[in-house]
Amino acid sequence: MTAQIIDGKAIAAAVRAEVRDAVAAWVADGGTQPGLATVLVGDDPASAVYVGGKQKASAEVGIAGFDHRLPHDAPHDEVERLIGELNTDPRVSGILLQLPTPPQVDGPALTELIDPAKDVDGLTPISAGLLAKGRPGLRPCTPSGVLELLRRHDVALEGAEAVVVGRSDLVGKPIAQMLLARNATVTMCHSRTRDLPAVCRRADVLVAAVGRARMVQGDWIKPGATVIDVGINRTEDGLVGDVDFEAAAERAARITPVPRGVGPMTIAMLLRNTLAAARASAATPA
Ligand code: NAP
Protein backbone atom coordinates (compact mmCIF):
# COMPACT_ATOMS: atom_id res chain seq x y z
CA MET A 1 0.00 0.00 0.00
CA THR A 2 1.31 3.43 -0.88
CA ALA A 3 -1.44 5.80 0.30
CA GLN A 4 -1.32 7.73 3.54
CA ILE A 5 -4.31 6.86 5.74
CA ILE A 6 -6.52 9.76 6.73
CA ASP A 7 -7.30 8.87 10.34
CA GLY A 8 -10.81 10.22 10.92
CA LYS A 9 -10.96 8.86 14.44
CA ALA A 10 -7.88 10.81 15.50
CA ILE A 11 -8.99 13.98 13.70
CA ALA A 12 -12.47 13.73 15.24
CA ALA A 13 -10.89 13.39 18.68
CA ALA A 14 -8.82 16.52 18.00
CA VAL A 15 -11.93 18.47 16.90
CA ARG A 16 -13.80 17.32 20.00
CA ALA A 17 -10.95 18.42 22.27
CA GLU A 18 -10.88 21.81 20.53
CA VAL A 19 -14.64 22.21 21.00
CA ARG A 20 -14.32 21.25 24.68
CA ASP A 21 -11.63 23.92 25.22
CA ALA A 22 -13.62 26.50 23.24
CA VAL A 23 -16.81 25.80 25.21
CA ALA A 24 -14.91 26.18 28.49
CA ALA A 25 -13.38 29.48 27.32
CA TRP A 26 -16.76 30.73 26.06
CA VAL A 27 -18.51 29.97 29.36
CA ALA A 28 -15.59 31.43 31.37
CA ASP A 29 -16.02 34.63 29.34
CA GLY A 30 -19.67 34.84 30.42
CA GLY A 31 -21.22 33.12 27.39
CA THR A 32 -24.34 31.01 27.91
CA GLN A 33 -23.56 27.29 28.03
CA PRO A 34 -24.40 25.81 24.61
CA GLY A 35 -27.24 23.28 24.69
CA LEU A 36 -28.18 20.47 22.31
CA ALA A 37 -31.76 19.20 22.24
CA THR A 38 -32.33 15.81 20.63
CA VAL A 39 -35.81 14.56 19.80
CA LEU A 40 -36.33 10.83 19.36
CA VAL A 41 -39.79 9.48 18.57
CA GLY A 42 -40.21 5.74 19.09
CA ASP A 43 -37.85 3.01 20.21
CA ASP A 44 -35.84 2.10 17.11
CA PRO A 45 -32.67 0.65 18.68
CA ALA A 46 -30.25 2.07 16.07
CA SER A 47 -31.74 5.58 16.45
CA ALA A 48 -31.53 5.28 20.24
CA VAL A 49 -27.83 4.41 19.94
CA TYR A 50 -27.21 7.43 17.64
CA VAL A 51 -29.04 9.83 19.95
CA GLY A 52 -27.30 8.39 23.01
CA GLY A 53 -23.93 8.86 21.28
CA LYS A 54 -24.70 12.48 20.45
CA GLN A 55 -25.80 13.27 24.01
CA LYS A 56 -22.77 11.53 25.51
CA ALA A 57 -20.39 13.40 23.20
CA SER A 58 -22.12 16.69 24.08
CA ALA A 59 -21.71 16.10 27.80
CA GLU A 60 -18.01 15.31 27.31
CA VAL A 61 -17.36 18.75 25.80
CA GLY A 62 -19.51 20.71 28.26
CA ILE A 63 -22.59 21.14 26.07
CA ALA A 64 -25.86 20.85 28.04
CA GLY A 65 -28.08 18.00 26.89
CA PHE A 66 -31.86 18.06 26.48
CA ASP A 67 -32.77 14.49 25.61
CA HIS A 68 -36.45 14.31 24.57
CA ARG A 69 -37.85 10.82 23.98
CA LEU A 70 -41.44 10.39 22.85
CA PRO A 71 -43.41 7.14 22.58
CA HIS A 72 -43.69 5.47 19.16
CA ASP A 73 -47.37 6.48 18.93
CA ALA A 74 -46.78 10.15 19.75
CA PRO A 75 -48.96 12.24 17.42
CA HIS A 76 -47.37 14.56 14.84
CA ASP A 77 -48.82 17.62 16.60
CA GLU A 78 -47.14 16.75 19.87
CA VAL A 79 -43.71 16.59 18.22
CA GLU A 80 -44.47 19.84 16.39
CA ARG A 81 -45.35 21.53 19.70
CA LEU A 82 -42.12 20.31 21.25
CA ILE A 83 -40.05 21.69 18.38
CA GLY A 84 -41.86 25.01 18.76
CA GLU A 85 -40.94 25.10 22.46
CA LEU A 86 -37.31 24.21 21.77
CA ASN A 87 -37.15 26.94 19.10
CA THR A 88 -37.91 29.56 21.77
CA ASP A 89 -35.99 28.01 24.68
CA PRO A 90 -32.88 30.18 25.28
CA ARG A 91 -31.01 27.23 26.86
CA VAL A 92 -31.20 25.32 23.58
CA SER A 93 -28.67 26.34 20.91
CA GLY A 94 -29.18 23.37 18.64
CA ILE A 95 -32.08 21.06 17.81
CA LEU A 96 -31.83 17.67 16.20
CA LEU A 97 -34.83 15.58 15.20
CA GLN A 98 -33.65 11.99 14.79
CA LEU A 99 -34.89 10.47 11.52
CA PRO A 100 -36.61 8.29 10.51
CA THR A 101 -39.74 8.93 12.55
CA PRO A 102 -42.75 6.58 12.86
CA PRO A 103 -45.27 6.88 9.98
CA GLN A 104 -47.76 9.20 11.75
CA VAL A 105 -44.99 11.77 12.27
CA ASP A 106 -43.81 13.62 9.14
CA GLY A 107 -40.12 13.90 10.05
CA PRO A 108 -38.94 15.84 6.99
CA ALA A 109 -41.77 18.40 7.42
CA LEU A 110 -40.91 18.82 11.11
CA THR A 111 -37.22 19.26 10.31
CA GLU A 112 -38.26 22.29 8.24
CA LEU A 113 -39.84 23.85 11.35
CA ILE A 114 -36.54 23.96 13.22
CA ASP A 115 -35.33 27.54 13.67
CA PRO A 116 -32.48 27.85 11.09
CA ALA A 117 -30.37 29.49 13.84
CA LYS A 118 -30.64 26.18 15.76
CA ASP A 119 -30.37 23.88 12.74
CA VAL A 120 -27.17 22.14 13.85
CA ASP A 121 -27.81 19.30 11.36
CA GLY A 122 -27.77 21.92 8.58
CA LEU A 123 -30.66 20.25 6.79
CA THR A 124 -33.42 22.88 6.70
CA PRO A 125 -34.15 24.54 3.34
CA ILE A 126 -32.81 27.83 4.75
CA SER A 127 -29.47 26.23 5.66
CA ALA A 128 -29.32 24.49 2.27
CA GLY A 129 -30.09 27.81 0.55
CA LEU A 130 -27.40 29.67 2.48
CA LEU A 131 -24.88 27.00 1.47
CA ALA A 132 -26.00 27.14 -2.17
CA LYS A 133 -25.58 30.92 -2.16
CA GLY A 134 -22.18 30.72 -0.45
CA ARG A 135 -23.45 32.64 2.57
CA PRO A 136 -22.54 31.88 6.20
CA GLY A 137 -24.77 29.36 7.95
CA LEU A 138 -24.84 26.01 9.68
CA ARG A 139 -23.53 23.29 7.38
CA PRO A 140 -24.52 19.59 7.39
CA CYS A 141 -22.26 17.59 9.69
CA THR A 142 -20.94 14.74 7.52
CA PRO A 143 -20.04 17.08 4.59
CA SER A 144 -18.33 19.47 7.05
CA GLY A 145 -16.42 16.50 8.38
CA VAL A 146 -15.20 15.64 4.88
CA LEU A 147 -13.96 19.20 4.35
CA GLU A 148 -12.25 19.14 7.76
CA LEU A 149 -10.37 15.94 6.85
CA LEU A 150 -9.17 17.59 3.62
CA ARG A 151 -8.18 20.75 5.48
CA ARG A 152 -6.21 18.92 8.17
CA HIS A 153 -4.29 17.06 5.46
CA ASP A 154 -3.57 20.27 3.53
CA VAL A 155 -5.21 18.88 0.41
CA ALA A 156 -5.05 21.58 -2.26
CA LEU A 157 -8.58 22.34 -3.46
CA GLU A 158 -8.16 25.56 -5.42
CA GLY A 159 -8.40 24.67 -9.10
CA ALA A 160 -8.35 20.95 -8.28
CA GLU A 161 -10.58 18.49 -10.15
CA ALA A 162 -13.03 17.20 -7.56
CA VAL A 163 -15.48 14.43 -8.38
CA VAL A 164 -18.34 13.63 -6.01
CA VAL A 165 -20.19 10.37 -6.64
CA GLY A 166 -23.69 10.66 -5.13
CA ARG A 167 -26.03 13.65 -5.10
CA SER A 168 -28.14 13.22 -1.96
CA ASP A 169 -29.31 16.32 -0.08
CA LEU A 170 -27.68 14.88 3.05
CA VAL A 171 -24.21 14.15 1.69
CA GLY A 172 -23.28 14.44 -2.00
CA LYS A 173 -24.89 17.76 -2.86
CA PRO A 174 -23.58 19.72 0.15
CA ILE A 175 -20.09 18.24 -0.24
CA ALA A 176 -20.03 19.36 -3.88
CA GLN A 177 -21.13 22.87 -2.91
CA MET A 178 -18.53 23.09 -0.16
CA LEU A 179 -15.78 21.99 -2.55
CA LEU A 180 -17.00 24.57 -5.06
CA ALA A 181 -16.80 27.23 -2.35
CA ARG A 182 -13.11 26.24 -1.96
CA ASN A 183 -12.65 26.87 -5.69
CA ALA A 184 -12.37 23.25 -6.78
CA THR A 185 -13.71 22.36 -10.23
CA VAL A 186 -16.50 20.05 -9.20
CA THR A 187 -18.21 17.26 -11.12
CA MET A 188 -21.22 15.57 -9.51
CA CYS A 189 -22.00 12.00 -10.52
CA HIS A 190 -25.06 9.84 -9.91
CA SER A 191 -26.74 6.67 -11.07
CA ARG A 192 -27.23 7.97 -14.63
CA THR A 193 -23.68 9.25 -15.13
CA ARG A 194 -22.13 7.86 -18.33
CA ASP A 195 -18.74 6.15 -18.00
CA LEU A 196 -18.34 6.76 -14.29
CA PRO A 197 -14.84 5.17 -14.18
CA ALA A 198 -13.54 7.68 -16.74
CA VAL A 199 -15.01 10.63 -14.81
CA CYS A 200 -13.51 9.36 -11.55
CA ARG A 201 -10.07 8.99 -13.20
CA ARG A 202 -10.01 12.78 -13.68
CA ALA A 203 -10.31 13.41 -9.95
CA ASP A 204 -7.55 14.92 -7.86
CA VAL A 205 -10.08 14.62 -5.03
CA LEU A 206 -12.61 11.80 -5.28
CA VAL A 207 -15.51 11.60 -2.83
CA ALA A 208 -17.68 8.48 -2.88
CA ALA A 209 -21.11 8.82 -1.19
CA VAL A 210 -23.21 6.14 -2.84
CA GLY A 211 -24.01 3.29 -0.47
CA ARG A 212 -22.70 0.45 -2.69
CA ALA A 213 -20.03 -1.76 -1.21
CA ARG A 214 -16.61 -1.38 -2.92
CA MET A 215 -18.17 0.04 -6.09
CA VAL A 216 -15.24 2.37 -6.84
CA GLN A 217 -12.46 0.19 -8.26
CA GLY A 218 -8.73 0.67 -7.91
CA ASP A 219 -8.24 1.50 -11.58
CA TRP A 220 -10.79 4.36 -11.29
CA ILE A 221 -8.30 6.23 -9.11
CA LYS A 222 -5.97 8.81 -10.61
CA PRO A 223 -2.46 8.14 -9.28
CA GLY A 224 -1.78 10.58 -6.45
CA ALA A 225 -5.45 11.38 -5.82
CA THR A 226 -7.05 11.95 -2.43
CA VAL A 227 -9.91 9.52 -1.88
CA ILE A 228 -12.66 10.16 0.65
CA ASP A 229 -15.04 7.26 1.24
CA VAL A 230 -18.30 8.31 2.90
CA GLY A 231 -20.05 4.99 2.30
CA ILE A 232 -21.01 2.69 5.12
CA ASN A 233 -22.12 -0.74 3.93
CA ARG A 234 -22.76 -3.79 6.09
CA THR A 235 -21.50 -6.94 4.34
CA GLU A 236 -20.59 -10.49 5.30
CA ASP A 237 -17.01 -9.20 5.68
CA GLY A 238 -18.17 -6.51 8.11
CA LEU A 239 -18.39 -2.77 7.51
CA VAL A 240 -16.97 -1.61 4.17
CA GLY A 241 -17.01 1.62 2.22
CA ASP A 242 -17.97 2.50 -1.35
CA VAL A 243 -14.33 2.20 -2.44
CA ASP A 244 -12.29 -0.97 -2.92
CA PHE A 245 -9.87 0.20 -0.25
CA GLU A 246 -6.92 -2.15 -0.83
CA ALA A 247 -6.81 -1.57 -4.59
CA ALA A 248 -7.42 2.19 -4.33
CA ALA A 249 -4.71 2.57 -1.70
CA GLU A 250 -2.16 1.30 -4.26
CA ARG A 251 -2.76 4.38 -6.42
CA ALA A 252 -4.05 7.12 -4.13
CA ALA A 253 -1.79 9.50 -2.22
CA ARG A 254 -4.27 9.66 0.70
CA ILE A 255 -7.37 7.67 1.53
CA THR A 256 -9.93 7.35 4.31
CA PRO A 257 -10.57 3.87 5.71
CA VAL A 258 -14.01 2.51 6.66
CA PRO A 259 -14.54 2.43 9.58
CA ARG A 260 -12.41 5.16 11.32
CA GLY A 261 -12.58 7.54 8.35
CA VAL A 262 -15.46 9.93 7.70
CA GLY A 263 -17.83 8.26 10.20
CA PRO A 264 -16.37 9.65 13.46
CA MET A 265 -16.32 13.19 12.01
CA THR A 266 -20.10 13.57 11.96
CA ILE A 267 -20.62 13.90 15.72
CA ALA A 268 -17.48 16.04 16.07
CA MET A 269 -18.90 18.53 13.56
CA LEU A 270 -22.31 18.45 15.28
CA LEU A 271 -20.60 19.60 18.49
CA ARG A 272 -18.77 22.32 16.61
CA ASN A 273 -22.05 23.46 15.02
CA THR A 274 -23.75 23.59 18.42
CA LEU A 275 -21.05 25.87 19.79
CA ALA A 276 -21.21 28.02 16.64
CA ALA A 277 -25.01 28.31 17.03
CA ALA A 278 -24.64 29.39 20.67
CA ARG A 279 -22.10 32.04 19.72
CA ALA A 280 -24.21 33.31 16.82
CA SER A 281 -27.34 33.57 18.95
CA ALA A 282 -25.42 35.57 21.56
CA ALA A 283 -24.36 37.95 18.79
CA THR A 284 -27.94 38.33 17.50
CA PRO A 285 -30.20 40.72 19.39
CA ALA A 286 -33.33 38.91 20.69
P1 NAP B 1 -28.56 8.06 -0.89
O1 NAP B 1 -29.49 9.13 -0.45
O2 NAP B 1 -29.08 6.68 -1.13
O3 NAP B 1 -27.84 8.58 -2.23
C1 NAP B 1 -27.00 7.73 -2.96
C2 NAP B 1 -26.50 8.45 -4.19
O4 NAP B 1 -25.69 7.55 -4.90
C3 NAP B 1 -27.62 8.90 -5.14
O5 NAP B 1 -27.37 10.21 -5.59
C4 NAP B 1 -27.54 7.89 -6.28
O6 NAP B 1 -27.85 8.42 -7.55
C5 NAP B 1 -26.07 7.54 -6.28
N1 NAP B 1 -25.87 6.22 -6.87
C6 NAP B 1 -26.53 5.07 -6.61
N2 NAP B 1 -26.07 4.08 -7.37
C7 NAP B 1 -25.10 4.61 -8.15
C8 NAP B 1 -24.26 4.09 -9.17
N3 NAP B 1 -24.30 2.81 -9.54
N4 NAP B 1 -23.39 4.92 -9.75
C9 NAP B 1 -23.31 6.22 -9.39
N5 NAP B 1 -24.09 6.78 -8.44
C10 NAP B 1 -24.97 5.97 -7.83
O7 NAP B 1 -27.36 7.87 0.14
P2 NAP B 1 -26.68 8.96 1.14
O8 NAP B 1 -27.57 9.26 2.26
O9 NAP B 1 -26.10 10.07 0.33
O10 NAP B 1 -25.49 8.06 1.70
C11 NAP B 1 -24.45 7.57 0.88
C12 NAP B 1 -23.56 6.65 1.70
O11 NAP B 1 -22.96 7.40 2.75
C13 NAP B 1 -24.29 5.50 2.41
O12 NAP B 1 -23.46 4.36 2.43
C14 NAP B 1 -24.50 6.02 3.82
O13 NAP B 1 -24.59 4.98 4.77
C15 NAP B 1 -23.24 6.81 3.99
N6 NAP B 1 -23.33 7.88 5.00
C16 NAP B 1 -22.31 7.97 5.89
C17 NAP B 1 -22.32 8.97 6.85
C18 NAP B 1 -21.18 9.08 7.81
O14 NAP B 1 -21.30 9.62 8.86
N7 NAP B 1 -20.01 8.58 7.44
C19 NAP B 1 -23.38 9.88 6.92
C20 NAP B 1 -24.40 9.78 5.98
C21 NAP B 1 -24.36 8.77 5.01
P3 NAP B 1 -29.34 8.93 -7.98
O15 NAP B 1 -29.50 10.26 -7.31
O16 NAP B 1 -29.27 9.02 -9.45
O17 NAP B 1 -30.29 7.89 -7.44
Side-chain angles (χ1 to χ4, degrees), residues 12-203:
V15 171
R16 285 158 73 145
E18 284 166 17
V19 173
R20 188 191 61 219
D21 293 349
V23 168
W26 169 253
V27 172
D29 265 5
T32 308
Q33 184 186 21
L36 177 67
T38 50
V39 179
L40 174 63
V41 188
D43 37 26
D44 176 59
S47 294
V49 169
Y50 291 143
V51 167
K54 289 165 188 173
Q55 284 294 349
K56 182 166 172 280
S58 297
E60 282 168 5
V61 300
I63 291 174
F66 303 92
D67 186 355
H68 294 272
R69 303 208 176 203
L70 284 77
H72 72 277
D73 57 354
H76 178 94
D77 291 356
E78 186 183 336
V79 190
E80 183 171 338
R81 249 192 324 276
L82 173 60
I83 288 176
E85 285 165 22
L86 296 172
N87 276 341
T88 56
D89 186 338
R91 299 169 305 162
V92 172
S93 346
I95 304 170
L96 195 149
L97 173 64
Q98 185 67 41
L99 299 178
T101 51
Q104 80 281 5
V105 175
D106 185 345
L110 289 175
T111 297
E112 297 193 6
L113 299 179
I114 294 173
D115 179 349
K118 299 188 177 189
D119 175 25
V120 285
D121 248 351
L123 296 177
T124 62
I126 298 278
S127 298
L130 292 171
L131 171 58
K133 289 180 80 73
R135 286 175 40 193
L138 292 164
R139 306 301 194 218
C141 300
T142 303
S144 296
V146 167
L147 270 288
E148 187 68 16
L149 293 176
L150 294 172
R151 191 180 74 77
R152 299 240 178 188
H153 275 264
D154 291 322
V155 176
L157 295 177
E158 178 133 349
E161 287 272 358
V163 172
V164 181
V165 190
R167 56 172 165 183
S168 70
D169 288 347
L170 185 64
V171 190
K173 220 178 271 174
I175 290 175
Q177 288 166 330
M178 291 165 92
L179 289 167
L180 190 60
R182 303 298 190 288
N183 296 318
T185 301
V186 182
T187 305
M188 291 186 72
C189 302
H190 44 77
S191 63
R192 322 289 160 79
T193 296
R194 254 185 282 143
D195 200 355
L196 184 61
V199 181
C200 290
R201 273 182 212 115
R202 296 206 311 256

